[in-house]
Amino acid sequence: MIVVLNGKEIEAVPGTTIADLLAQREIASETVVAERNGDIVPGADFSTVALKDGDHLEILRFVGGG
Amino acid sequence: MSEDILEIGGRGIASRLFTGTGKYGDDSLIPGVCEASGSEVITVALRRVDLNAGTENVMDHIPGHMQLLPNTSGARTADEAVRIARLARAMGCGDWIKIEVISDSRYLLPDGYETAKATEILAKEGFVVLPYINADLYVARSLADAGAAAVMPLGAPIGTNRGLKTREMIRILIEEIDLPIVVDAGIGRPSEACEAMEMGADAVLVNTAIATASDPIRMAGAFGRAVRAGRAAYLAGPGATRRHADASSPLTGFLGAV
């Protein structure tokens, strides 16, 4: 299936979770927030919500800013 | 001397210098800047994770006692600011938010109407809202009505280090607005931060001037002392200015002619 991750289409196996995507990229899940199709996904649900084909996912974190 | 605590959103803040985390050549300077400045409030931005590059995390450099003030930079409308604010709160670092709604890319001036709309929505959702605004009395009033916890008028455009260009308008806000006034943006030198505090501003937010100094930690210390000096001078009540000289030494008891 295809999901759009931070604006880029990626191929993911069906059943993939946000936690899977983060683990594949060695990103600590507690350092990010996620939005799926415009809705915030609580960190506690990162490993339980299975993504669907066509999902739009935004993964964000704090960066330096003024 | 009695304690002089600034209260925003139910939190007592001893240091009236707020800092930021942008533009550092090396984020590992941030803890030293926090310590040298004495600052207790620090801004961050929210951005997409770069999925292909490193795991560098600015949060690793922010001391745990700091009050985090995420901004909504990148928002061009109230809706975008609200979306960013909700995501920032989901990070679990508190509910303070600096509203920044900007669609002008040359001067980065804030859109007062969209800022007020976002402030009203977020204040109702329990956020502690600190909006970045033009130094404008009507904008500030609409934000006070919308539930802002403080207002943050600009001294000069973001990142310009040009100082208190809006001085007269900020003076009016200090006089008329019954909320903490935090002068944000444009302050380039400690003397300018000191002046803002002498005028009666409640705090200043300084990022670029510290982060882009040759020695950010030393500059952070200089700003910290300048802000304390300015605040102390304000509380002490400066004497009146006058047009003609007024001798400091007695004008009687001079020596007689020889």
Side-chain angles (χ1 to χ4, degrees), chain B residues 112-244:
Chain B
Y113 178 63
E114 295 292 319
T115 300
K117 282 201 288 182
T119 297
E120 185 164 15
I121 294 166
L122 292 169
K124 279 188 185 139
E125 292 181 14
F127 283 86
V128 176
V129 183
L130 293 87
Y132 169 62
I133 61 167
N134 289 296
D136 179 282
L137 179 61
Y138 294 97
V139 169
R141 278 189 181 145
S142 69
L143 287 161
D145 292 344
V151 291
M152 304 211 292
L154 60 94
I158 293 172
T160 57
N161 284 346
R162 284 160 58 84
L164 292 176
K165 297 298 177 195
T166 59
R167 157 185 304 107
E168 297 307 321
M169 299 300 119
I170 287 175
R171 213 184 287 281
I172 292 170
L173 298 192
I174 290 168
E175 208 176 288
E176 297 293 327
I177 300 296
D178 193 22
L179 283 178
I181 308 290
V182 182
V183 179
D184 180 8
I187 290 177
R189 286 173 169 67
S191 55
E192 294 155 1
C194 187
E195 184 188 352
M197 298 307 298
E198 281 179 6
M199 280 164 50
D202 294 280
V204 297
L205 198 163
V206 180
N207 183 357
T208 299
I210 293 173
T212 64
S214 300
D215 183 344
I217 293 175
R218 180 173 276 193
M219 189 59 87
F223 267 103
R225 290 190 292 279
V227 166
R228 286 199 298 280
R231 178 65 182 174
Y234 169 74
L235 294 175
T241 57
R242 37 194 314 146
R243 181 170 167 77
H244 296 119

Side-chain angles (χ1 to χ4, degrees), chain B:
Chain B
M1 205 171 85
S2 63
E3 272 202 299
D4 174 36
I5 299 295
L6 172 62
E7 198 175 309
I8 295 179
R11 177 169 174 151
I13 302 158
S15 170
R16 290 165 182 270
L17 171 59
F18 299 0
T19 48
T21 54
K23 298 184 184 168
Y24 281 96
D26 179 353
D27 284 352
S28 67
L29 287 164
I30 292 170
V33 163
C34 293
E35 194 187 340
S37 65
S39 180
E40 296 162 41
V41 178
I42 193 162
T43 59
V44 290
L46 192 70
R47 290 290 181 276
R48 281 176 166 171
V49 173
D50 183 345
L51 298 160
N52 302 311
T55 54
E56 181 67 15
N57 184 1
V58 71
M59 296 300 287
D60 293 340
H61 302 290
I62 299 177
H65 70 275
M66 304 288 291
Q67 170 67 53
L68 212 63
L69 177 56
N71 68 38
T72 65
S73 61
R76 299 168 67 89
T77 64
D79 286 346
E80 288 174 7
V82 167
R83 181 181 175 202
I84 294 168
R86 289 171 180 159
L87 282 161
R89 181 154 71 175
M91 287 289 290
C93 300
D95 49 14
W96 284 37
I97 193 77
K98 169 181 167 178
I99 304 283
E100 242 183 281
V101 184
I102 294 172
S103 53
D104 166 79
S105 60
R106 187 171 174 87
Y107 290 106
L108 299 176
L109 293 173
D111 182 327
Y113 178 63
E114 295 292 319
T115 300
K117 282 201 288 182
T119 297
E120 185 164 15
I121 294 166
L122 292 169
K124 279 188 185 139
E125 292 181 14
F127 283 86
V128 176
V129 183
L130 293 87
Y132 169 62
I133 61 167
N134 289 296
D136 179 282
L137 179 61
Y138 294 97
V139 169
R141 278 189 181 145
S142 69
L143 287 161
D145 292 344
V151 291
M152 304 211 292
L154 60 94
I158 293 172
T160 57
N161 284 346
R162 284 160 58 84
L164 292 176
K165 297 298 177 195
T166 59
R167 157 185 304 107
E168 297 307 321
M169 299 300 119
I170 287 175
R171 213 184 287 281
I172 292 170
L173 298 192
I174 290 168
E175 208 176 288
E176 297 293 327
I177 300 296
D178 193 22
L179 283 178
I181 308 290
V182 182
V183 179
D184 180 8
I187 290 177
R189 286 173 169 67
S191 55
E192 294 155 1
C194 187
E195 184 188 352
M197 298 307 298
E198 281 179 6
M199 280 164 50
D202 294 280
V204 297
L205 198 163
V206 180
N207 183 357
T208 299
I210 293 173
T212 64
S214 300
D215 183 344
I217 293 175
R218 180 173 276 193
M219 189 59 87
F223 267 103
R225 290 190 292 279
V227 166
R228 286 199 298 280
R231 178 65 182 174
Y234 169 74
L235 294 175
T241 57
R242 37 194 314 146
R243 181 170 167 77
H244 296 119
D246 178 30
S248 303
S249 306
L251 291 172
T252 55
F254 292 124
L255 287 175
V258 179

